[in-house]
Amino acid sequence: MRREPLLMIPGPTEVSTQALLAMAKPVVSHRDEDFSAFFKQLTEKAKQVFQTQNDLFILAASGTGGVEAAVANLTRKGDKVVVPVFGTFSDRVAEAVKRYGGEVIRIEIPLGEGPTASLIEKTLEKHPDTKVVYIVYNETSTGVTVRELPQIAKIAHKFDAVVVADAISILGGDELPVDPWEIDVCVTGAQKCLATPPGIALVSVSDRAWRLIEREGLSTFYFDLSRYKKFFDERGQTPFTPAIPLLFALDIALTEILEEGLENRIRRHRLCAQAIYSAVEAWGMTPFAKEPFRSNTVIAVKYPPNFDDAKFRGLLKRKYRIAVAGGIGITKGMVFRIGCMGNIGPQDVVLTIAAMEAVLYEIGYLKEVGKGLAAAVRKLASL
Amino acid sequence: MRREPLLMIPGPTEVSTQALLAMAKPVVSHRDEDFSAFFKQLTEKAKQVFQTQNDLFILAASGTGGVEAAVANLTRKGDKVVVPVFGTFSDRVAEAVKRYGGEVIRIEIPLGEGPTASLIEKTLEKHPDTKVVYIVYNETSTGVTVRELPQIAKIAHKFDAVVVADAISILGGDELPVDPWEIDVCVTGAQKCLATPPGIALVSVSDRAWRLIEREGLSTFYFDLSRYKKFFDERGQTPFTPAIPLLFALDIALTEILEEGLENRIRRHRLCAQAIYSAVEAWGMTPFAKEPFRSNTVIAVKYPPNFDDAKFRGLLKRKYRIAVAGGIGITKGMVFRIGCMGNIGPQDVVLTIAAMEAVLYEIGYLKEVGKGLAAAVRKLASL
């Protein structure tokens, strides 16, 4: 059996054959005017998916590199920065801000929940001199989505703070209209809901954010966004060599996204996620995230008592060729996580549910097979 | 005519069809044990090409990202850092060190030359408390190779300083045995002599370098090499999602390098470069780099007086589909540059020389055609 496992993990995700093949095109010069034309239309396409008219940069880096770019450009020594921490990735943001000299105002949030607008408002009332509010819009480690992100942005702006959304595991899979929601810096990675192979990060930057970025004291050179802006505006290029084959793949993936339509795409993600949540509950299991924070792109499920995760996920991968993730960082050993991202559709959902039921039966957790699939199928009926 | 231009630029370079097609493979999970096995053997292969037993990391970043990783990890506020500046890329290193708080001891070197061991020795005698000496082994902007790199490393070590070699545009194309030459940190990018598409950087780290890296006060999170080491040693993985398709391509490219043999490969680069230099001189033009600094991977040529670069390079690209580079940064408007990197062989050299002669004839610079080709062919006869 030579089949690569179906990626039902929270990234990297399944990439279309068209996007994969695009990478096999000959490499071109990134200082060529043909490249500039390609890169400008690629950036425009990405802006459509971000729903923004802000600047947008495509970096040769993984998603965390995109977060580093945001942090390094926005933070100066002693800046007050609010970071609600509710999982591994928000904790990483807090750590990165600290390393760049920011004074982190951590808001500790119970696991399985996310920050609310009122919580951010209270924090900003105590710290009205806050420069930046970082929101991990989708906490990949816990399967939590911050449902009040647009309200949080409005509150932050009332206090004249810049809002950064780490949208790595969600942009392209759930609502995130960057301009209407007033997100100043939005970061994503290619390898999640954009269904592009890993290795590039996308970062949008508003005028309000530029005011913080353009202060003295920038330490990064590689992620210097002002330099990216200069090169893009003057030549439609990047200051350093871009990851060209990944841009070819991204171009195809963005075209596929726009052809499907953002609204359809978000609806597909939501219904596929609901189908998975329904199956999980039919099996007598409990999602890790509490309502209303349940993510439509990462479904985290609490391990039942005495549950052998290695056996469960191992069998699922070896016998049925389906990869799902365990916990990460703070949720390690507490959950398994199903990615519902990018190109995942009804076929992948029924396959995953069917195979999971088979494995849950084989390891003795389920006494009968079919209930999860029935629950999932009822949800998928409306797609 | 739909042919992509032949890349005779200093990167990105021509990638073999096998390496391009490797990127079209389905994406896999970077947290899978199969991936760890792949990534460990890939790293071992890269170490063979580096000729090192030091740690070696593969980052999702372009070459400048690799330099940033070196600078960010090695520099702490107030550290004395020696940087000989002899072109755009060494100037960039100086700028990056400054941004990370280092006190840069700049050594200004005449354009077309590179630092010598005695110059570094004199500088270190004046600044014996220097922590790091950065050498851009091959200055891509001027076509200069630092021929005394191994002697420089020995001198730096006498003063207990760490030596970093920015080998982005040379590793895999000219001598650079990292361990015998005692290079503490060696940085390269995939898209030059390694003949891999752009988007990944490779960085080796010696024990001596680790002692500087492991001090307090690291500011980067994304490029935190200690974190890379921990993930590699414990699981054969990267801390953040790697650029998976580019690793597939690198794997093929490294295999092709080892099959050719490093010695043969270096000889091929040297003879192809000599062929190009000979043709250039037969045309009555002058290489920008002085002897003995002439690079075997980037041939920079002074513009003859009243020479229309745009017409020359434009015609070469449009009519003959061959891309060569102009100057960059400090050499902008002063030179054109031919990349002689990676997979470039006799076929590419005779084609480039023949087409250049045709264009030089067409624009009226040459009165007769053939002398350059004859000179090149005489050199290629010994390959």
Side-chain angles (χ1 to χ4, degrees), chain A residues 4-5 7 9 11-15 20-21 23-34 60-66 68 92 95-96 99-100 191-192 196-199 217-224 227-228 231 235 239-246 317 321 323 328 332, chain B residues 4-5 7 9 11-15 20-21 23-34 60-66 68 92 95-96 99-100 191-192 196-199 217-224 227-228 231 235 239-246 317 321 323 328 332:
Chain A
E4 287 295 344
L7 297 177
I9 55 176
T13 60
E14 292 291 320
V15 176
L20 288 174
L21 284 171
M23 292 190 289
K25 287 202 293 192
V27 174
V28 298
S29 166
H30 61 298
R31 296 292 175 231
D32 192 290
E33 57 200 24
D34 294 344
S62 57
T64 308
E68 175 111 351
R92 275 192 190 177
E95 174 66 25
R99 290 199 184 178
Y100 278 92
Q191 79 280 18
K192 310 277 184 177
T196 301
L218 183 72
S219 62
T220 182
F221 184 79
Y222 183 61
F223 290 122
D224 177 352
R227 194 176 175 106
Y228 278 83
F231 270 73
R235 334 188 194 172
F240 315 119
T241 317
I244 295 168
L246 299 174
K317 200 189 106 203
R321 306 307 285 154
I328 180 174
K332 204 171 174 72
Chain B
E4 289 294 345
L7 298 177
I9 54 176
T13 60
E14 292 291 319
V15 176
L20 287 174
L21 284 172
M23 292 191 289
K25 287 203 293 191
V27 174
V28 298
S29 167
H30 62 298
R31 296 293 175 228
D32 194 289
E33 58 200 24
D34 294 346
S62 57
T64 308
E68 174 110 352
R92 277 191 188 176
E95 173 66 26
R99 290 199 184 179
Y100 278 93
Q191 79 279 19
K192 310 276 183 178
T196 301
L218 182 73
S219 62
T220 182
F221 184 78
Y222 183 61
F223 289 122
D224 176 351
R227 195 177 175 105
Y228 278 82
F231 270 73
R235 334 186 194 173
F240 315 120
T241 316
I244 294 167
L246 299 174
K317 201 188 105 199
R321 308 305 284 153
I328 180 174
K332 205 173 173 75

Side-chain angles (χ1 to χ4, degrees), chain A residues 222-339:
Chain A
Y222 183 61
F223 290 122
D224 177 352
L225 291 175
S226 305
R227 194 176 175 106
Y228 278 83
K229 180 167 170 58
K230 187 174 148 67
F231 270 73
F232 188 81
D233 290 351
E234 289 175 8
R235 334 188 194 172
Q237 293 177 2
T238 52
F240 315 119
T241 317
I244 295 168
L246 299 174
L247 302 181
F248 292 159
L250 179 66
D251 185 47
I252 302 293
L254 291 174
T255 301
E256 289 169 352
I257 290 171
L258 295 170
E259 280 171 3
E260 178 177 18
L262 276 177
E263 208 174 312
N264 293 335
R265 189 176 180 86
I266 290 165
R267 185 158 180 275
R268 171 168 61 76
H269 277 80
R270 193 175 58 238
L271 285 169
C272 287
Q274 284 179 358
I276 297 170
Y277 281 119
S278 300
V280 161
E281 285 173 346
W283 296 331
M285 293 181 183
T286 315
F288 188 79
K290 294 200 180 64
E291 285 288 10
F293 297 107
R294 287 183 189 163
S295 169
N296 293 330
T297 60
V298 184
I299 289 93
V301 181
K302 273 187 207 165
Y303 288 130
N306 308 316
F307 193 81
D308 187 340
D309 170 59
K311 201 168 167 189
F312 170 62
R313 292 196 300 121
L315 205 50
L316 196 61
K317 200 189 106 203
R318 280 195 310 279
K319 191 157 174 177
Y320 293 97
R321 306 307 285 154
I322 295 171
V324 301
I328 180 174
I330 198 138
T331 59
K332 204 171 174 72
M334 299 170 71
V335 301
F336 65 89
R337 297 174 305 142
I338 304 171

Side-chain angles (χ1 to χ4, degrees), chain A residues 39-58 171-180 186 188 194 202 204 250-251 253-263 265-266:
Chain A
F39 192 61
K40 279 193 240 174
Q41 64 81 25
L42 176 68
T43 304
E44 277 310 310
K45 248 182 238 181
K47 284 187 185 182
Q48 284 183 55
V49 173
F50 272 61
Q51 299 174 59
T52 189
Q53 297 189 351
N54 290 335
D55 292 305
L56 186 145
F57 305 106
I58 306 177
L171 191 135
D174 208 335
E175 302 282 349
L176 184 48
V178 165
D179 287 356
C186 183
T188 200
L194 298 183
L202 296 86
S204 73
L250 179 66
D251 185 47
L254 291 174
T255 301
E256 289 169 352
I257 290 171
L258 295 170
E259 280 171 3
E260 178 177 18
L262 276 177
E263 208 174 312
R265 189 176 180 86
I266 290 165

Side-chain angles (χ1 to χ4, degrees), chain A residues 167-211:
Chain A
I168 292 174
S169 61
I170 189 163
L171 191 135
D174 208 335
E175 302 282 349
L176 184 48
V178 165
D179 287 356
W181 283 13
E182 300 178 22
I183 305 303
D184 297 302
V185 175
C186 183
V187 180
T188 200
Q191 79 280 18
K192 310 277 184 177
C193 300
L194 298 183
T196 301
I200 45 180
L202 296 86
V203 182
S204 73
V205 181
S206 74
D207 289 343
R208 186 185 280 109
W210 279 122
R211 291 201 291 275

